[in-house]
Amino acid sequence: MKRKDFLKFGALLTAGFGMSHSVAAESGALEAQGEELFKQQPLPYGYNQLEPYVDALTMELHYSKHAAAYCKNLNSAAVQSGIQKGMTLPDLMREISKYPAVIRNNGGGHFNHEFFWGCMQPGGSSINDQHLLAAVQRDFGSVDRLKEKFSEAALKIFGSGWAWLIVDAQQKLQIVTTPNQDNPLMDVVPVQGTPLLALDVWEHAYYLHYQNRRAEYIKNWWAIVNWNQVAALYG
Ligand code: MN
């Protein structure tokens, strides 16, 4: 990755997944309780704002129950695993092989969901960024072909997992999938890369509204994709 891009990505991740300790440190009460290393960022839109593609109840449960639990469980396990304050989520992912499964599962769960919320926006968007568009055309032929390949990969995931658009070590765009709460930053996945876009295909992400119709969830999801974030991450 070019240094410019790395810095941009780093800045965005830092902004998006900022550590809570500076805020927590200002509160004596929090200090006394033991401060939390990791924190959920506020959802960048209301629970109902991705409707009708993702329903409000699914968003509420997904953010306030499922994702909140990953964050809470990560904080509990982080102390026991000797994770120091100042450790960023992306850095933790990059050395996840050093930690027990509870950190991999909950750390991955926390990172993935924080990333995923930003992949969506009310009303959706299209690719306006020429640099990103040129890369998509170079590596997939067209935006439609990228969507087809990504959708196919997401549909084929057996059980729970994620579909990703990444920039790989050769600076090429690639579509990869990860099982459970793994992600492409982790030093345990077959193809590592910088994530640009993610889709959660765990049943909790769609079952209330779509039941077993994962293909329909994936197809509709494109209507709320935040391509502006993808472009910003690509640099
Ligand atoms: Mn999820």
Side-chain angles (χ1 to χ4, degrees), residues 62 66-67 70 109 112-113 116-117 162 181 200-202 204-205:
H62 202 175
H66 294 278
Y70 291 119
N112 293 353
H113 287 91
F116 180 52
W117 311 134
W162 294 76
Q181 295 295 354
D200 187 345
V201 294
W202 281 57
H204 68 226

Side-chain angles (χ1 to χ4, degrees), residues 19 21-23 44 53-54 99 101 124 137 139 146 151-152 174 191 194 199 201 204 224 233:
M19 305 292 292
H21 56 79
S22 57
V23 176
Y53 310 104
V54 178
Y99 297 94
Q137 287 167 344
D139 296 334
L146 180 162
S151 299
E152 198 180 297
Q174 266 204 60
V191 183
T194 302
L199 175 59
V201 294
H204 68 226
I224 46 168
L233 291 170

Side-chain angles (χ1 to χ4, degrees), residues 20-22 24-25 30-38 75 79 85:
S20 62
H21 56 79
S22 57
L30 274 176
E31 282 285 285
Q33 290 166 16
E35 76 187 55
E36 291 182 338
L37 288 174
F38 302 99
N75 279 319
V79 177
K85 78 174 186 182

Side-chain angles (χ1 to χ4, degrees), residues 1-6 8 127-140 143 146 165 167 171-173 196 227 230-235:
M1 183 177 300
K2 288 172 295 192
R3 178 156 175 81
K4 169 178 80 80
D5 295 346
F6 177 78
K8 238 181 225 178
I127 302 181
N128 296 312
D129 183 89
Q130 290 309 308
H131 184 219
L132 174 63
L133 191 59
V136 168
Q137 287 167 344
R138 178 195 67 205
D139 296 334
F140 297 100
V143 177
L146 180 162
L165 175 67
V167 186
Q171 304 302 317
K172 280 194 68 177
L173 301 181
L196 300 181
W227 286 107
V230 178
L233 291 170
Y234 185 63

Side-chain angles (χ1 to χ4, degrees), residues 70 112 154 156-163 177-182 199-206 214:
Y70 291 119
N112 293 353
K156 276 188 186 162
I157 295 169
F158 186 78
S160 299
W162 294 76
T177 63
T178 54
N180 304 314
Q181 295 295 354
D182 286 356
L199 175 59
D200 187 345
V201 294
W202 281 57
E203 283 188 344
H204 68 226
Y206 64 87
R214 187 193 282 187

